[in-house]
Amino acid sequence: LERFVTEAFQLAVGERLQDPQEVATGEKPSSSADDSARVPPPAVDFRSALDISSDILRRLQLPFECSITHGWIAAATRTFATSASEANTITDVQLDFVIDWVLRCLVEHAIK
């Protein structure tokens, strides 16, 4: 599972970096020494997190409903994101948390 998540995350980050629109709207580097030392960690947007989560559930051959799963992903994201911009910047650690949350919810949903 960890390999699936890491692989999907790296592919999504690579696609995001190659997207000319992302490059055009990305943050401009600052000339300050403090700012240049703080390189933002690789991240994916919320839509990519949805796609990655659904793809992982399919690869694990787990039955799920997209609309319910999307709600679980949104709920997991609300635990660490307080704004839309934070929800659109999901790191690998946060994505692991989201996937774990979805799997737990899926188990609870199957038990009910």
Side-chain angles (χ1 to χ4, degrees):
L1 178 63
E2 186 177 328
R3 185 176 55 84
F4 285 159
V5 175
T6 301
E7 178 184 288
F9 179 81
Q10 289 173 348
L11 287 172
V13 167
E15 289 172 3
R16 187 174 184 188
L17 292 176
Q18 291 177 355
D19 184 4
Q21 186 177 7
E22 281 291 328
V23 173
T25 60
E27 295 181 21
K28 294 190 166 73
S30 173
S31 60
S32 167
D34 290 338
D35 289 341
S36 63
R38 285 185 257 151
V39 176
V44 296
D45 60 8
F46 184 77
R47 180 76 230 169
S48 295
L50 291 174
D51 294 341
I52 290 169
S53 300
S54 297
D55 183 50
I56 287 172
L57 293 176
R58 276 189 218 92
R59 290 172 77 175
L60 294 173
Q61 299 178 354
L62 297 172
F64 67 98
E65 295 178 37
C66 284
S67 60
I68 293 172
T69 305
H70 290 177
W72 295 334
I73 295 166
T77 304
R78 280 193 298 269
T79 65
F80 57 80
T82 57
S83 67
S85 64
E86 287 179 2
N88 263 332
T89 308
I90 299 175
T91 65
D92 58 340
V93 173
Q94 292 168 332
L95 183 62
D96 285 339
F97 173 79
V98 168
I99 300 294
D100 286 344
W101 182 292
V102 169
L103 290 172
R104 289 174 196 264
C105 290
L106 190 60
V107 168
E108 289 175 11
H109 185 71
I111 290 173
K112 290 181 183 180

